[in-house]
Amino acid sequence: MSMDAVFRALADPTRRQLLDSLHARNGQTLNALCENMEMTRQAVTKHLAILEEANLVTTMRRGREKEHYLNPVPINEIAERWIGKFERGRLAALSDLKQRLEREEP
């Protein structure tokens, strides 16, 4: 799955709310997810489909119920690709500063 699909899925506050709900309690059914949303079941289903297409949510059938699970891998890939590389320089500078301060202590 492309990072573009992940970014598009994360751009919507409703989808982020669904991900937060799954983070708090993984393995929820559609009914459980709808309880905290102020929208129709059909709208929640459409948002979940977009999250599934972006590989942010996976599902598992248990009898007649379909449980939804958060997949943190795409978010971690974003963190490593976009956040991590920008933080490396800052972390290296802090490490250098710490080493210099430790050398200066009597």
Side-chain angles (χ1 to χ4, degrees), residues 1-45:
M1 185 54 47
S2 76
M3 281 194 185
D4 290 342
V6 176
F7 277 112
R8 276 192 298 276
L10 292 173
D12 185 89
T14 299
R15 291 192 282 273
R16 291 192 305 269
Q17 184 179 355
L18 286 167
L19 291 174
D20 286 340
S21 180
L22 289 172
H23 181 262
R25 193 178 59 140
N26 223 359
Q28 294 184 63
T29 63
L30 178 59
N31 285 336
L33 288 166
C34 287
E35 286 175 7
N36 298 321
M37 306 298 290
E38 294 182 13
M39 61 180 56
T40 65
R41 180 181 170 99
Q42 182 179 9
V44 173
T45 300

Side-chain angles (χ1 to χ4, degrees), residues 4-106:
D4 290 342
V6 176
F7 277 112
R8 276 192 298 276
L10 292 173
D12 185 89
T14 299
R15 291 192 282 273
R16 291 192 305 269
Q17 184 179 355
L18 286 167
L19 291 174
D20 286 340
S21 180
L22 289 172
H23 181 262
R25 193 178 59 140
N26 223 359
Q28 294 184 63
T29 63
L30 178 59
N31 285 336
L33 288 166
C34 287
E35 286 175 7
N36 298 321
M37 306 298 290
E38 294 182 13
M39 61 180 56
T40 65
R41 180 181 170 99
Q42 182 179 9
V44 173
T45 300
K46 287 182 180 184
H47 283 292
L48 286 170
I50 292 168
L51 291 169
E52 284 184 60
E53 288 172 15
N55 200 28
L56 289 164
V57 170
T58 60
T59 60
M60 181 183 299
R61 285 231 174 249
R62 294 218 190 260
R64 295 180 60 209
E65 296 288 334
K66 185 177 177 183
E67 296 175 344
H68 298 82
Y69 293 88
L70 175 65
N71 178 16
V73 173
I75 295 171
N76 184 60
E77 289 173 352
I78 288 172
E80 291 200 5
R81 167 71 170 88
W82 292 101
I83 299 168
K85 76 177 180 181
F86 294 111
E87 291 297 317
R88 281 187 206 116
R90 212 179 280 179
L91 293 173
L94 287 173
S95 179
D96 290 344
L97 177 62
K98 180 182 176 190
Q99 288 174 0
R100 274 188 262 139
L101 290 174
E102 288 172 352
R103 279 183 270 169
E104 291 176 8
E105 287 182 1

